[in-house]
Amino acid sequence: MILTVTLNTALDITYRVRSLRPHASHRVSEVTERPGGKGVNVARVLAALGHEVTVTGFTGGATGRVVQERLAAVPGVVDALVPVTGATRRTIAVVDEQTGDTTQLNEPGPMVSPAEWSAFQEAYEDLLPSVSAVALCGSLPPGLPVGAYAGLVRTARAAGVPVLLDTSGEPLRRGVAARPDIIKPNADELAELTGSHEPLRATQDARRRGAGAVVASLGPEGLLAATREGRWRATPPASVRGNPTGAGDSAVAGLLSGLVDHLPWPDRLTRATALSAATVAAPVAGEFDRGVYEELLGRVAVSGEVSAA
């Protein structure tokens, strides 16, 4: 079983409009609601790939109840969310149908008390003995210490469970120092972490800071990986038009799926790149176009070198 941690779960709401214009009223052509937050999106993709997944994090208020109701309808996903007094946040994605661009509005999330954080940490430790890998994903809700992910990384490592970290800013900086097995930043997050805007140099620097492997999302240009085993670049055959929200989460799902399936790194990167691109072709985050995914699996180009070390 794979465990995904979403400390700042959300109800993802996607609006589609003909054309998004500032200072104007818009008629929404379609509305979708899904349980969300980065780790929840990862879990839904993993479940669609046939993996058993447990989701944990925080849930609260009326929005939290809707998230749990929607999560219960997802086959293969087990709900282990921890209740809090505050209300789960909402995220709003507005898709411009003419341009394909997406505008994202993210609420901050509920205030988490020290007692609620302690209850979560106990629940997390109880789950670890039964899992094969864990993903720590997304932003921190108000009230949590900036080193929250670093502590969760150390707990997973102490339990012998491989851990992937996908966050940004200071939580990422602290988390890398705790030595996660994999981090999955995008290009901007990687530059913020290392100070370098040259992706290859930045991935190597992030490894020196403590990450076992660094897999950087480069948007439509694919993935760049620096690992103990070597360095690789995975590139999709063409840019996919659609909604990019959740594409990075699907890349995380692909990396975790490849990890628990014991695939070599080039095959993990192929799976992650194909899933990421297939998610752009899907209407909402946490889903992927299976036809696009299967077609891309044989067309993703992976180049690189195996480390002599």
Side-chain angles (χ1 to χ4, degrees), residues 30-285:
E30 182 182 351
V31 182
T32 57
E33 291 186 351
R34 296 288 189 278
K38 292 178 74 63
V40 174
N41 293 338
V42 171
R44 289 169 55 205
V45 173
L46 284 168
L49 291 172
H51 294 281
E52 295 182 357
V53 193
T54 293
V55 169
T56 191
F58 295 110
T59 182
T63 305
R65 288 192 292 274
V66 174
V67 167
Q68 291 187 284
E69 289 170 3
R70 299 295 174 88
L71 203 57
V74 181
V77 175
V78 175
D79 176 358
L81 293 168
V82 175
V84 292
T85 302
T88 296
R89 67 187 178 133
R90 297 163 297 178
T91 65
I92 312 295
V94 184
V95 179
D96 185 317
E97 294 177 335
Q98 285 191 350
T99 65
D101 292 337
T102 300
T103 299
Q104 192 83 16
L105 303 173
N106 297 328
E107 296 179 357
M111 177 66 69
V112 178
S113 71
E116 290 166 338
W117 174 228
S118 295
F120 172 80
Q121 289 174 287
E122 291 179 9
Y124 175 71
E125 288 188 43
D126 289 343
L127 287 166
L128 286 175
S130 62
V131 306
S132 55
V134 60
L136 308 173
C137 303
S139 62
L140 298 178
L144 289 193
V146 72
Y149 280 132
L152 298 181
V153 169
R154 286 190 287 268
T155 301
R157 287 181 57 82
V161 178
V163 57
L164 183 153
L165 177 63
D166 183 16
T167 188
S168 60
E170 191 61 22
L172 175 59
R173 190 180 307 277
R174 301 281 188 95
V176 167
R179 308 186 71 81
D181 295 88
I182 306 170
I183 64 170
K184 205 290 300 165
N186 61 32
D188 290 340
E189 293 162 350
L190 185 61
E192 183 182 7
L193 173 66
T194 64
S196 174
H197 291 272
E198 201 290 304
L200 181 57
R201 180 181 302 168
T203 55
Q204 294 169 325
D205 181 61
R207 279 208 64 217
R208 286 192 290 269
R209 291 168 184 256
V214 180
V215 182
S217 292
L218 305 179
E221 297 179 10
L223 300 174
L224 177 66
T227 78
R228 294 183 182 91
E229 291 81 5
R231 296 176 298 186
W232 290 275
R233 179 75 172 265
T235 309
S239 179
V240 177
R241 181 180 173 84
N243 178 7
T245 306
D249 303 333
S250 291
V252 169
L255 294 172
L256 284 172
S257 175
L259 172 66
V260 300
D261 285 346
H262 306 291
L263 298 181
W265 269 106
D267 293 341
R268 296 188 207 180
L269 295 170
T270 295
R271 184 176 291 183
T273 301
L275 277 171
S276 181
T279 294
V280 176
V284 294

Side-chain angles (χ1 to χ4, degrees), residues 15-31 94-98 103:
Y15 294 137
R16 302 186 71 87
V17 299
R18 181 179 176 83
S19 176
L20 183 62
R21 305 180 308 280
H23 316 298
S25 296
H26 297 79
R27 186 176 298 278
V28 176
S29 61
E30 182 182 351
V31 182
V94 184
V95 179
D96 185 317
E97 294 177 335
Q98 285 191 350
T103 299

